[in-house]
Amino acid sequence: MSDLSTQNIMYLPGVGPKRAELMMKELKITSFEDLIYYFPFKHIDRSRIYLINEVNINLPYIQIKGRFTSLQTMGQARQTRLVATFSDRTGFIELIWFKSIKQIKESIDANAEYLIFGKPSHFNGVINIVHPEIEKLKDGKSMLPGNLQAFYNTTEKMKSNFLNSKAIQKMMISVFAAFQGKIPESLPAALLSQLPIINRHEALHAIHFPQDTQQLEKARFRLKFEELFYIQLNILRLRNQRTAHVHGHRFGIVGEHLNHFYANHLPFELTNAQKRVIKEIRKDMGSGRQMNRLLQGDVGSGKTLVALMVMLIALDNHYQACLMAPTEILANQHFESLTTLLKGMPVKMGLLTGSTKKKERIILHEQLRSGELQILVGTHALLEDAVQFNNLGLVVIDEQHRFGVAQRARLWRKNTTPPHILVMTATPIPRTLAMTVYGDLDVSVIDELPPGRKPIQTEHYFHNKRNNLNRFIKNEIQKGRQVYVVYPLIEESESLDFKNLTEGYEYMQKAFPEYQTCMVHGKMNVADKDAAMQLFISGQAHIMVATTVIEVGVNVPNASVMVIESAERFGLSQLHQLRGRVGRGADQSFCILMTGNKLSDETRKRMEIMVRTTDGFEIAEADLKLRGPGDLSGTQQSGLPFELKIANIAKDGRILQYAREVAEKVLENDPLLEKAENHILNKQLTKLARQKMNWSMIS
Ligand code: ADP
Ligand code: MG
């Protein structure tokens, strides 16, 4: 049986090498199993057959049953069309084809009964059906099993080679015939009998050929459940393995460094949330297990301070620590703020980024290896093989979603016993997504902002209100505040965006000649960028025109106005991140979203949500609903480390929760899936890991 599922579809009746190649190239389908798992995107009810005298153009897709009474090619050259007259006992209707004329003409059997499927329309003043699907009936019966017809996505290239939805459906019929009613089960028999789910063969058959909507729902449920169940099972099993086999450094000591810092250097009282989170992390790092923890906290909630205090615990236990940031600006800023916080303390800290000079780099490498350097702050440069620690005990990763899974896994190899990992993110991750993507991580949440912060006031302006905006900006600057103006910069249209940015810069200089304006963008060299940042941080520049390079982490408490130009081009979570650059001081802060006048419904909703709330979790939930999981966790890629064929993280939260509970129960009874009855689970996980899932030790 297993042979059959890996069998190349080339050997399926009616496919052959040419079609197989097309299926491979266009849809990445090679095996019988791939084909079976190519699910339809919709189903149309075909239980009803209309009489021709009932047909009118207001009907959606319909079916009629009858015979061809005439076939005629009309028009000339490129205008040719095939016009057929089709009749049942109640009348006649025209069927029209503009393409594949010869083929269709030759295939039609004037003596046979046919089932016609299509959308009635008007052409030349009469009702007709253009490019209908036709099926020759046997003894008056359709070959189609089931009443709901499945529709499959195909590409233009496939269509022009007669590989349309209908052709795929025919392949489905052949592939099910090949299995002879026995696609092997992929869940243990015990589970199947306990759970309210139908078996695999039944589900797969019903998703392609459902008898009715009820059966279709059952099929969907089973297939979604299975998909989510295996994801959860895998995540939870990894966690079991990690806790069982991977030892962690035991950070039992709270010593000199942390105590001294707490007593003499802490610039403000910790919030209760910060205290709680530090306690959770400390307990975790002291357990002897390796820590894998996600620290969630909205922008401005004070994660940096938590990171520092946690790193000091590592130092107290004679280990090194590193802090990795997604951009150079951010790494620099972390380095500076940590240096300030630690001023006067005997802690040796270094900064390593892409622009660290070679000479300096060599020294850093040496000091790391000898153990002299205690804390290393940097960018991706930390991942390079040349960077070797004497005894790395803790890695803090800031703004996790910018790092790939593989990059994080590399950190594990920086010490024989893997270091504790703390991943910090300001992107509030909705529960369903967190369970799917970060199910293996423990989570700490800073759910409180430092005291004295006033909620940021957000407004949405259309471009024609620019004069009002300028008056407002002027007013705020006169009060001593500073202003960010952010422009989108998106790879595909970089030059155009760049033009917008520089024009925006010139415009602001002209509009505010009495104030200093500076500009920062990703393509500047580091020295210029630093100089411009410094102007703004020191307060010499009043206005900073920038791209989203300032999105993460930049901290200028005196900046209280964030203007986001072309706000319609940003996603919700990005808008929220950008807005988080202000509201860091004691003054009332503002965020102004500038957009054009014509907005889609979705964009309008996004603006409304931003104006209504500053709650990151509410925004993340709304974002997930509006756009799906795509941009939440991976800014570039699909967001999920695996491909979901049928389940939807945004919509199937309940099934996900259920699948997780079932997976937890299975592992409770058999943590390493060693029992004979669970053999099938192990096999399936191995197969999935090979096929599509990009699992790794962290994430
Ligand atoms: P984020 O969580 O976005 O990384 P930061 O760590 O940059 O936030 O902190 C934001 C600002 O809040 C910084 O200026 C920081 O000094 C300040 N801050 C952090 N913790 C506290 C606190 N407990 N009380 C007052 N201010 C704090
Ligand atoms: Mg931060």
Side-chain angles (χ1 to χ4, degrees), residues 22-229:
L22 208 54
M23 294 285 281
M24 166 63 205
K25 277 206 179 122
E26 300 293 300
L27 303 178
K28 297 206 173 66
I29 291 175
T30 56
S31 69
F32 281 19
E33 188 167 300
D34 293 343
L35 180 64
I36 289 175
Y37 276 83
Y38 190 64
F39 296 141
F41 72 95
K42 66 171 179 186
H43 292 85
I44 286 179
D45 187 358
R46 294 193 66 168
S47 56
R48 170 150 188 201
I49 292 172
Y50 282 80
L51 296 171
I52 289 176
N53 69 4
E54 294 177 300
V55 174
N56 65 68
I57 61 154
N58 298 318
L59 290 171
Y61 282 83
I62 54 152
Q63 308 185 90
I64 44 182
K65 196 158 127 177
R67 288 169 199 277
F68 284 90
T69 48
S70 78
L71 270 179
Q72 218 181 335
T73 313
M74 297 167 99
Q76 276 172 10
R78 300 176 69 203
Q79 303 282 319
T80 9
R81 60 183 191 274
L82 177 65
V83 180
T85 315
F86 190 79
S87 76
D88 64 8
R89 61 188 164 80
T90 69
F92 296 87
I93 190 167
E94 253 183 21
L95 309 179
I96 300 175
W97 285 269
F98 297 97
K99 279 188 204 158
S100 322
I101 291 174
K102 189 157 166 267
Q103 250 213 345
I104 290 161
K105 206 170 171 182
E106 282 167 7
S107 77
I108 284 173
D109 177 353
N111 298 314
E113 203 178 8
Y114 279 84
L115 192 65
I116 302 298
F117 177 76
K119 166 99 186 77
S121 60
H122 250 201
F123 184 75
N124 281 348
V126 288
I127 294 184
N128 46 41
I129 300 179
V130 180
H131 284 193
E133 271 182 28
I134 62 175
E135 186 192 355
K136 190 168 160 181
L137 300 179
K138 259 198 194 130
D139 308 324
K141 284 209 185 85
S142 168
M143 286 285 292
L144 283 176
N147 288 324
L148 290 172
Q149 187 182 347
F151 280 78
Y152 300 90
N153 278 317
T154 57
T155 63
E156 280 310 311
K157 199 155 176 202
M158 290 171 70
K159 284 192 189 96
S160 62
N161 283 284
F162 308 108
L163 249 176
N164 52 16
S165 174
K166 183 85 187 176
I168 295 203
Q169 192 174 40
K170 279 191 182 147
M171 288 184 200
M172 290 297 175
I173 295 175
S174 313
V175 80
F176 276 95
F179 277 97
Q180 296 182 318
K182 282 194 292 258
I183 294 175
E185 184 48 57
S186 50
L187 288 170
L191 265 191
L192 209 59
S193 65
Q194 286 160 19
L195 304 177
I197 54 175
I198 59 176
N199 73 47
R200 184 175 180 226
H201 182 90
E202 206 183 324
L204 287 170
H205 190 266
I207 195 95
H208 296 290
F209 308 106
Q211 287 299 335
D212 50 41
T213 45
Q214 229 181 345
Q215 198 197 24
L216 179 61
E217 270 323 298
K218 280 187 187 159
R220 283 203 180 116
F221 184 81
R222 145 86 207 214
L223 296 169
K224 286 177 179 182
F225 170 83
E226 176 169 355
E227 195 166 43
L228 297 169
F229 169 76

Side-chain angles (χ1 to χ4, degrees), residues 268-271 274 298-304 450 453 555 584:
F268 23 61
E269 177 81 5
L270 292 177
T271 64
Q274 283 170 320
D298 214 342
V299 278
S301 61
K303 295 185 292 294
T304 317
R453 300 266 172 86
N555 187 20
R584 304 188 145 232

Side-chain angles (χ1 to χ4, degrees), residues 303-304 334 398-399 553:
K303 295 185 292 294
T304 317
H334 275 321
D398 196 14
E399 299 302 342

